Amino acid sequence: MSVPLPSTFQARTVDVDGVAIHTVVGGDGPPVLLLHGYPQTHLIWHDVAPALASRHTVVLTDLRGYGDSAKPEPVTDDVYSKRAMARDQIGVMRELGFDRFAVAGHDRGARVGHRMALDHPGAVAALAVLDIVPTRHTFAHADAAFGLGYYHWFFLAAGNGIPERLIGNDPEFWIRSRMTARHSGGAAYDESAVREYVRCFSDPAAIAASCADYRAAAGIDLEHDEADAAAGRRVRCPVLALWGEHSFVGRNYDVLKVWREYADHVSGTALPSDHYLPEEAPALVTAELRAFLART
């Protein structure tokens, strides 16, 4: 496996209640967990993680269903709920000896991080969310622009095996086309990382799991989110929101205003990129995360 991470990062598998989570650890200092989005793996952080490791113990994982982590069959709706995915990550960090830590997540990983902060407030000391607004907000304010810009949310959530069959016919085309369409002016993608995304996503079980992830977002995740809203549960830890000024999120939402409806202490800014901030603007992401972590 070609991995663009320094040899100081060591890989291991952590079993969390029977789900094997691929985990990579490097550095020394206060712990920070980095979570990836769709359709990547932990390697989306390949430039950011080594820089953060000079001051932090950096933990990178592949979410369940992605990368080299286990891909449980989605026999029930909750298998790929963000609640289940968050429990995985809590288990990983506890196995590594960390009961309290910071979390930074991009895309799907940010949604997992959001759920972690709600379900496990004692564990999450600080939360950084990259290029998202909360799932509940996106569905509540979905319009034609959202349907066209984020059509994959509805396509991947479709039933009857339709997205699995179509993506499985040419997964490399799907990944490269998705990433190319959401890149604007930043650093070029690392080809060795992209090849890893293709390798991992070419597994039919990974395609099925990712579709289940999006189905959960449109179903059971919303149920959990609505229950939190009704109970007045909010994110109490400090939140850093970063987004791409050219991304759909940056062009269509007042990101800080939205997050302040869900969290008590929110700061953040736009970066000169599109959706994949850790790959398009790694130096800026690193600087923002370092400053945020230093003050939390």
Side-chain angles (χ1 to χ4, degrees):
M1 183 170 66
S2 173
V3 179
L5 281 173
S7 59
T8 50
F9 280 78
Q10 299 296 309
R12 59 184 291 184
T13 299
V14 178
D15 184 280
V16 183
D17 296 329
V19 178
I21 301 297
H22 182 66
T23 304
V24 181
V25 184
D28 185 46
V32 56
L33 171 65
L34 303 182
L35 301 175
H36 67 87
Y38 179 97
Q40 285 85 6
T41 71
H42 70 280
L43 290 179
I44 192 173
W45 299 102
H46 64 82
D47 280 328
V48 175
L52 289 181
S54 65
R55 305 179 189 179
H56 294 272
T57 298
V58 179
V59 180
L60 307 100
T61 65
D62 293 338
L63 298 171
R64 72 160 62 189
Y66 292 86
D68 287 313
S69 286
K71 300 163 181 65
E73 186 178 354
V75 291
T76 59
D77 291 343
D78 64 345
V79 172
Y80 287 93
S81 70
K82 304 310 157 293
R83 177 159 286 163
M85 297 168 97
R87 281 197 302 266
D88 292 341
Q89 303 305 316
I90 292 291
V92 168
M93 295 304 279
R94 286 178 177 166
E95 177 66 21
L96 296 176
F98 302 123
D99 293 323
R100 189 164 172 80
F101 49 89
V103 180
H106 172 257
D107 189 79
R108 313 310 291 172
R111 301 186 191 284
V112 174
H114 185 197
R115 176 48 55 192
M116 290 174 70
L118 290 168
D119 286 359
H120 308 276
V124 180
L127 173 65
V129 289
L130 275 63
D131 211 56
I132 73 160
V133 293
T135 304
R136 178 172 174 266
H137 184 89
T138 60
F139 277 113
H141 296 83
D143 56 13
F146 181 81
L148 292 170
Y150 269 31
Y151 72 89
H152 61 290
W153 277 43
F154 304 100
F155 170 64
L156 294 170
N160 300 311
I162 293 171
E164 292 93 333
R165 180 69 174 268
L166 295 177
I167 294 171
N169 186 59
D170 195 346
E172 181 169 3
F173 170 78
W174 173 253
I175 286 179
R176 290 184 182 274
S177 64
R178 290 301 303 147
M179 294 181 65
T180 300
R182 304 176 79 183
H183 183 283
S184 179
Y189 297 124
D190 185 303
E191 178 59 24
S192 61
V194 176
R195 286 197 297 269
E196 276 296 286
Y197 304 153
V198 171
R199 176 187 70 82
C200 293
F201 205 79
S202 294
D203 180 352
I207 298 172
S210 69
C211 292
D213 172 10
Y214 278 83
R215 289 176 189 131
I220 194 168
D221 289 346
L222 279 181
E223 294 176 17
H224 295 158
D225 291 346
E226 292 294 347
D228 286 333
R233 282 188 289 271
R234 296 166 57 84
V235 176
R236 304 301 183 187
C237 70
V239 173
L240 173 70
L242 301 176
W243 63 94
E245 63 183 26
H246 304 298
S247 73
F248 180 88
V249 169
R251 290 181 285 106
N252 289 273
Y253 302 108
D254 183 338
V255 178
L256 295 181
K257 181 177 183 293
V258 173
W259 271 108
R260 285 169 180 154
E261 297 173 3
Y262 290 81
D264 291 349
H265 309 288
V266 181
S267 61
T269 189
L271 300 181
S273 71
D274 202 307
H275 179 60
Y276 299 102
L277 278 70
E279 291 178 294
E280 295 181 62
L284 294 175
V285 169
T286 299
E288 291 289 342
L289 288 177
R290 277 179 168 168
F292 175 63
L293 295 171
R295 64 179 183 264
T296 56

